[in-house]
Amino acid sequence: MCGIVAAVRAEGDVVADAIAGLKTLEYRGYDSAGVAVMTGDGIAVRRKMGKIAALEKELASNALPASPQAIAHTRWATHGAPADRNAHPHTDDSGRVVVVHNGIIENYIELRVLLQAQGHAFSSDTDSEVIAHLISHYHRGGASLHAATREAIGKVHGAYALVVASADEPGTLVVARHDSPLVVGVGAGVNYAASDMPALLGQTRDFLVLENGETAVLT
Ligand code: GLU
């Protein structure tokens, strides 16, 4: 179980804030790191096995566009070896829904088989990827990202802290937790989610602690 930092604001660029927050979570240990941003018409993801420095090196040579919405993650592999393709964030196969997850989805095999039977193509060996596909399934069926996330968490068993975004709902982050930590940080014109408060102390002192089973929509 490792770390999450996410931020959304009306304009500007939050990638540097997200990476800075992620570095404060290094003490938890991790094997991979990644970040996703909204690009205006889609989602761009960079992820690397190894230290956050390896992700920063990747970002230096393969830059992300400036974005007011970013989701960053450090992974401690539980399902699927440490590898670039297993690092978070994970998208569904349309690339329109993106998820970071800390924790373990216990029933991921049955969900994966079910989703594959419906035509979803998986690209990692993680338990987490089923969440992206499951949310996408409901979201494509017409549910808002929040409603789709609530449907999806009704189907998964296990521990999770999640941050979810959709290219079809730019400016929105949906967060959820059960048995993995997640806090919401409220800033001036900007909102954050992170695994713990110290990750956001450079940005805000105003926190909401999500309880088990709660979700929140950050805009
Ligand atoms: N179970 C997930 C994975 O192996 C998340 C691990 C974590 O909490 O970092 O990718």
Side-chain angles (χ1 to χ4, degrees):
M1 196 163 302
C2 227
I4 290 174
V5 179
V8 58
R9 61 186 312 144
E11 53 192 31
D13 186 22
V14 294
V15 176
D17 279 1
I19 302 283
L22 211 55
K23 285 182 178 168
T24 71
L25 298 174
E26 284 193 291
Y27 73 92
R28 292 166 171 247
Y30 63 100
D31 55 60
S32 319
V35 59
V37 299
M38 281 294 149
T39 61
D41 59 351
I43 292 166
V45 178
R46 303 285 185 270
R47 47 194 195 164
K48 271 317 230 189
M49 189 175 101
K51 293 288 164 199
I52 295 173
L55 174 64
E56 287 181 306
K57 199 169 158 209
E58 169 71 11
L59 290 170
S61 62
N62 190 8
L64 284 173
S67 176
Q69 187 174 358
I71 305 177
H73 183 270
T74 49
R75 175 179 191 233
W76 187 300
T78 66
H79 295 71
D84 290 354
R85 62 193 285 276
N86 289 331
H88 299 219
H90 290 286
T91 63
D92 70 319
D93 43 3
S94 74
R96 308 277 303 162
V97 170
V98 67
V99 171
V100 294
H101 166 230
N102 281 153
I104 292 175
I105 304 304
E106 282 156 14
N107 59 336
Y108 81 100
I109 293 178
E110 70 184 69
L111 291 172
R112 186 172 166 127
V113 167
L114 216 74
L115 287 157
Q116 281 171 328
Q118 292 171 357
H120 288 258
F122 281 71
S123 56
S124 81
D125 308 315
T126 65
D127 53 336
S128 309
E129 192 186 347
V130 295
I131 304 167
H133 292 271
L134 202 54
I135 292 171
S136 162
H137 169 79
Y138 294 116
H139 195 35
R140 281 191 224 170
S144 69
L145 186 63
H146 185 219
T149 302
R150 291 206 62 93
E151 289 277 356
I153 62 177
K155 298 282 185 291
V156 303
H157 303 310
Y160 54 82
L162 299 177
V163 181
V164 188
S166 163
D168 298 312
E169 284 187 30
T172 302
L173 296 174
V174 174
V175 302
R177 73 164 287 240
H178 181 81
D179 287 349
S180 291
L182 200 71
V183 299
V184 171
V186 182
V190 53
N191 288 311
Y192 302 94
S195 303
D196 68 17
M197 292 184 196
L200 300 177
L201 285 179
Q203 321 296 337
T204 184
R205 301 283 157 126
D206 191 0
F207 292 102
L208 302 166
V209 177
L210 279 193
E211 300 297 338
N212 270 342
E214 285 187 331
T215 54
V217 181
L218 312 187
T219 60

